[in-house]
Amino acid sequence: QRIGQLGCWRADPVLNTVMWTGGVYDIVEMPEDFTPNLDVALDFYLPESRARIVKALEQALQTREAFALQVEVRGARSGKLKWCELRGFPHAGADGRVEYLMGTLQDVGDRRAAEERLRESESRYRGLAENSADWVWEMTVDGRTTYTNDRGPAILGLTRDELLAADVNDRVHPDDRERVQDILRRAIESRSGWREVLFRCRTRDGGYRTLESSAAPVFDAGGCLAGFQGVDRDVTERMAAEAELARHREHLEELVGERTREAEAARAAAESANVAKSAFLANMSHEIRTPLNAITGMAHLIRRSGVNAAQAERLRKIDDAGRHLLDIINAILDLSKIEAGKLALERSPVDVTAILADTAAMLAERAAAKGLALRVEAEPVPAALAGDPTRIRQALLNYAANAVKFTGSGTVVLKARVLEAAAESLLLRFEVEDTGIGIAAEDQARLFSAFEQADSSMTRKYGGTGLGLAITRRLAEAMGGEAGVTSAPGRGSTFWFTARLARVGEAPGAPEEAAAATDEERLKRDFAGRRILLVEDEEVNREVASILLEEAGLAVQATEDGRRAVELAAANRYDLILMDVQMPAMDGLEATRLIRQSPGSAAVPIIALTANAFAEDRARCLAAGMNDFVAKPVVPPVLFAAVLRWLSAAGGDGGIPAPPGRS
């Protein structure tokens, strides 16, 4: 009969046979139709345990005495090591010869762990008591001290033996004695302890120390109150300090109140100024952009209607001035947004080659007007990258526009190359190299500060706010990189910044949006109406995923619980299951294991949805029986691609397709 993890066994060493009851099968994790011989049965034990078992069996056969061993068993399915107690005794026939051995096997892992924890706890707390900075003690109900650490004698100036022999009540200050005895009497009557009781205790030299005492009751095996265990802390200096503080509290509170009012006024003024600045910038941006749009628009219309060369030149100057004014507005707003911590980076496909080409195209007319050669030199960069292309282009344009502005003749070169390549990201370095006027070393340090230029006379000669480089550095830092310059007067400059971009899968020459749209269209075309079970405990994530899948033409049934998912999978047929991994009632790994045990659900593809995107998390999902892995936050194109891949694979022969990288 099964009693938890306890089973019986019978072994015949002569016939090399073994019989088990159900409990042994549970421990070794084998089905009950498994019929091992003695050698096979011993294989479930670790080598050291097996050797001791063989020796015990041999001794039992010789001495006819019972034995008991603690041994380690490895479960066949889980591979888990289990501490078990193996008991046995020989059974002799009428002739006195041992016919067989029999006994029990019991899983005692929990008991061993509890015993080990108890030993560790006793050792740890004994060490804590002996090394405590407070007085740790035990006493009987009648007030006799039975244990003290070294701190108690040190506080009172006594030896340990003197303290154990003394009546502590006699050392309590006369003014505190009645109160302390009353607390002890009530504790005995209520069979409870006390907390943070203050009293004064006399030392060897006749002085007094103030102690803060807390204690708990101790009961004997029969449930009777045996005494108390407690901790007393010497708070003499603390009480003196508190008394001193109390004498100054009124003045201090008044002073703090005054400072608080001043700080609150300063904070309110700062917030008001910040709100006013933001409102001013937003309002001025609108007020300036509105007429500026009319000015540049009308200039464009007039130029298209046909003008002579002098008029065309004047219109060009109007357009240049308008563009310059717009650049200033944008720079001020960007810097304000960065300083307020409101700069948000987008995550979109990044085409480095296109960014370089676009930047060069925007400056081509200005460079040609000055007779400058404008070139692009880029090393091969993977196409499947994600980041904020707008901010990368902005930072690069800040550098390139400055290079064209401050270069009188020669060349401006835009460059990009890979500095670091990791499995999930790349660190790219962008450079703008020019043959311009160059910058002295002492001026380079302040170039990237707001409203700074290398020489104040540059503002009069070349124009500009001095914000472009400051913004570029802030943008680079927001993108996980840095910014800097290498330059010398008369030898040109190389301005650079780095940015870390994420890898989003190999899709050379195909934008992510285009690939995603194709997958979504194929789902609508080829798999409309296919049944999807979505298991996700977070309501918003569940709603978003349901809408995405339904808009792709799929029939979605959603649940927030792993246990409910197992029930649904057993009662219904699904073409694919999307399984969240971390859920409160039953996690996705356990739910997947249970679903795989059901014959009707053994073939359904299961895709993990998880925020844990490391390699070991993927391995755990595959080991549990999942087929694929989609990391959160879920990118719709990635989700559509995974669903399409597994619906296509499962539609072939109805079996479970092999996970990626496995056969």
Side-chain angles (χ1 to χ4, degrees):
Q1 181 181 2
R2 302 187 185 190
I3 307 174
Q5 290 290 302
L6 171 68
C8 299
W9 57 270
R10 174 175 167 171
D12 188 331
V14 176
L15 298 178
N16 193 26
T17 60
V18 173
M19 289 188 295
W20 290 338
T21 62
V24 178
Y25 284 104
D26 289 342
I27 293 172
V28 302
E29 301 177 7
M30 293 297 290
E32 294 192 12
D33 58 359
F34 176 67
T35 56
N37 57 33
L38 183 56
D39 291 334
V40 173
L42 290 172
D43 285 341
F44 288 96
Y45 300 93
L46 294 192
E48 191 273 338
S49 295
R50 174 172 178 160
R52 290 192 293 113
I53 293 170
V54 170
K55 184 177 180 180
L57 293 175
E58 292 174 348
Q59 288 180 346
L61 291 173
Q62 294 172 4
T63 64
R64 301 182 185 179
E65 294 178 354
F67 63 87
L69 302 172
Q70 287 206 354
V71 295
E72 285 186 281
V73 178
R74 186 183 298 280
R77 288 195 307 274
S78 67
K80 179 181 176 183
L81 294 179
K82 307 175 184 180
W83 275 103
C84 297
E85 185 173 75
L86 179 69
R87 290 181 174 272
F89 61 89
H91 182 275
D95 58 359
R97 185 177 60 83
V98 175
E99 295 179 344
Y100 55 85
L101 296 100
M102 62 185 302
T104 60
L105 181 69
Q106 184 175 15
D107 188 336
V108 295
D110 291 343
R111 188 179 76 195
R112 278 179 61 94
E115 292 172 351
E116 182 63 27
R117 287 195 297 271
L118 180 59
R119 285 192 296 271
E120 291 177 356
S121 177
E122 290 176 347
S123 175
R124 180 167 59 255
Y125 286 113
R126 176 64 64 178
L128 287 173
E130 292 298 332
N131 294 289
S132 174
D134 297 326
W135 179 8
V136 181
W137 52 263
E138 291 181 357
M139 75 175 186
T140 61
V141 175
D142 58 6
R144 182 171 53 86
T145 303
T146 57
Y147 168 78
T148 179
N149 65 354
D150 290 337
R151 180 58 178 157
I155 292 173
L156 301 181
L158 305 175
T159 67
R160 186 187 286 250
D161 290 339
E162 287 173 337
L163 182 55
L164 292 175
D167 187 342
V168 177
N169 288 327
D170 291 341
R171 291 190 166 275
V172 176
H173 193 286
D175 293 345
D176 298 337
R177 190 170 300 155
E178 183 177 351
R179 177 172 56 86
V180 169
Q181 290 176 347
D182 183 60
I183 290 171
L184 178 60
R185 182 170 54 254
R186 284 189 279 113
I188 293 173
E189 291 173 354
S190 63
R191 294 162 56 88
S192 61
W194 60 85
R195 288 184 59 81
E196 299 178 353
V197 173
L198 292 173
F199 69 96
R200 289 162 291 178
C201 197
R202 182 166 42 83
T203 63
R204 180 189 290 276
D205 60 10
Y208 285 90
R209 305 295 293 179
T210 302
L211 303 179
E212 184 180 71
S213 179
S214 297
V218 176
F219 302 96
D220 61 20
C224 296
L225 181 65
F228 297 91
Q229 293 176 335
V231 176
D232 289 1
R233 173 167 294 177
D234 185 351
V235 295
T236 307
E237 284 74 21
R238 190 189 80 188
M239 297 299 294
E242 289 177 356
E244 180 69 20
L245 286 173
R247 288 193 291 270
H248 299 284
R249 183 173 293 124
E250 184 176 352
H251 174 67
L252 180 61
E253 289 178 353
E254 181 180 345
L255 186 62
V256 169
E258 182 180 348
R259 295 292 182 267
T260 301
R261 289 189 293 273
E262 292 175 355
E264 180 63 25
R267 185 189 63 80
E271 287 185 356
S272 177
N274 190 49
V275 170
K277 182 183 77 171
S278 298
F280 172 77
L281 290 174
N283 184 61
M284 290 306 296
S285 172
H286 177 268
E287 293 301 320
I288 294 174
R289 285 172 188 268
T290 301
L292 182 61
N293 182 66
I295 293 170
T296 56
M298 290 300 295
H300 176 72
L301 292 177
I302 294 172
R303 189 162 51 239
R304 286 186 58 185
S305 65
V307 294
N308 59 40
Q311 292 170 330
E313 177 61 18
R314 290 167 185 163
L315 289 171
R316 184 191 65 78
K317 292 179 179 179
I318 291 175
D319 191 56
D320 287 347
R323 185 166 58 245
H324 179 62
L325 181 57
L326 186 60
D327 288 343
I328 293 173
I329 296 170
N330 289 337
I332 294 174
L333 289 176
D334 274 342
L335 187 63
S336 176
K337 188 182 299 182
I338 291 170
E339 290 179 343
K342 296 181 179 179
L343 177 68
L345 297 178
E346 66 179 69
R347 182 184 171 93
S348 301
V350 174
D351 187 334
V352 175
T353 303
I355 290 175
L356 292 169
D358 291 347
T359 305
M362 283 188 279
L363 297 171
E365 185 178 347
R366 297 188 215 176
K370 296 184 69 174
L372 301 177
L374 183 60
R375 299 201 315 267
V376 172
E377 297 178 3
E379 296 179 2
V381 175
L385 299 175
D388 192 328
T390 301
R391 295 303 185 181
I392 294 174
R393 186 180 290 107
Q394 178 183 357
L396 189 63
L397 185 59
N398 283 342
Y399 280 166
N402 277 350
V404 171
K405 180 194 299 184
F406 294 116
T407 302
S409 62
T411 306
V412 174
V413 184
L414 280 59
K415 300 180 179 181
R417 58 190 173 93
V418 177
L419 278 187
E420 297 175 8
E424 298 178 352
S425 65
L426 292 180
L427 184 65
L428 298 186
R429 177 180 170 111
F430 295 87
E431 298 179 356
V432 176
E433 180 182 285
D434 65 57
T435 57
I437 58 178
I439 304 163
E442 60 270 19
D443 295 325
Q444 293 176 21
R446 56 190 179 86
L447 271 182
F448 289 89
S449 301
F451 305 104
E452 288 281 358
Q453 290 187 338
D455 185 341
S456 59
S457 64
M458 291 183 180
T459 303
R460 295 188 298 272
K461 180 177 181 181
Y462 295 102
T465 61
L467 290 176
L469 297 182
I471 292 172
T472 296
R473 171 166 282 179
R474 302 286 186 89
L475 291 176
E477 291 170 349
M479 293 185 289
E482 300 174 316
V485 61
T486 302
S487 182
R491 300 177 60 182
S493 305
T494 298
F495 283 84
W496 58 268
F497 72 91
T498 56
R500 188 168 294 279
L501 304 180
R503 294 180 185 265
V504 293
E506 295 301 328
E512 185 176 345
E513 293 91 338
T518 301
D519 290 338
E520 184 177 1
E521 291 173 358
R522 288 183 60 192
L523 286 172
K524 293 178 182 178
R525 183 190 67 202
D526 300 335
F527 298 99
R530 293 295 178 93
R531 301 190 65 191
I532 308 296
L533 175 60
L534 172 64
V535 189
E536 167 63 69
D537 69 315
E538 209 284 323
E539 182 178 0
V540 175
N541 289 343
R542 190 167 62 249
E543 181 179 356
V544 170
S546 296
I547 293 172
L548 287 173
L549 295 167
E550 287 169 353
E551 289 183 350
L554 303 171
V556 181
Q557 183 169 6
T559 182
E560 71 280 4
D561 180 68
R563 186 173 290 109
R564 177 61 178 157
V566 175
E567 297 171 356
L568 290 172
N572 303 281
R573 184 193 177 283
Y574 297 100
D575 297 289
L576 184 140
I577 298 174
L578 290 168
M579 180 73 71
D580 187 16
V581 172
Q582 292 188 348
M583 293 180 288
M586 176 185 289
D587 66 32
L589 300 178
E590 180 63 21
T592 297
R593 294 187 190 100
L594 294 176
I595 290 172
R596 288 300 185 219
Q597 294 174 11
S598 173
S601 303
V604 61
I606 301 178
I607 300 176
L609 297 175
T610 178
N612 299 327
F614 296 104
E616 54 268 28
D617 300 306
R618 181 183 182 91
R620 286 173 55 234
C621 292
L622 298 180
M626 297 181 178
N627 301 91
D628 207 344
F629 181 100
V630 174
K632 293 179 182 178
V634 175
V635 180
V638 175
L639 176 63
F640 291 141
V643 172
L644 177 63
R645 179 168 61 253
W646 291 105
L647 286 180
S648 301
D653 55 11
I656 303 177
R662 304 173 77 187
S663 57

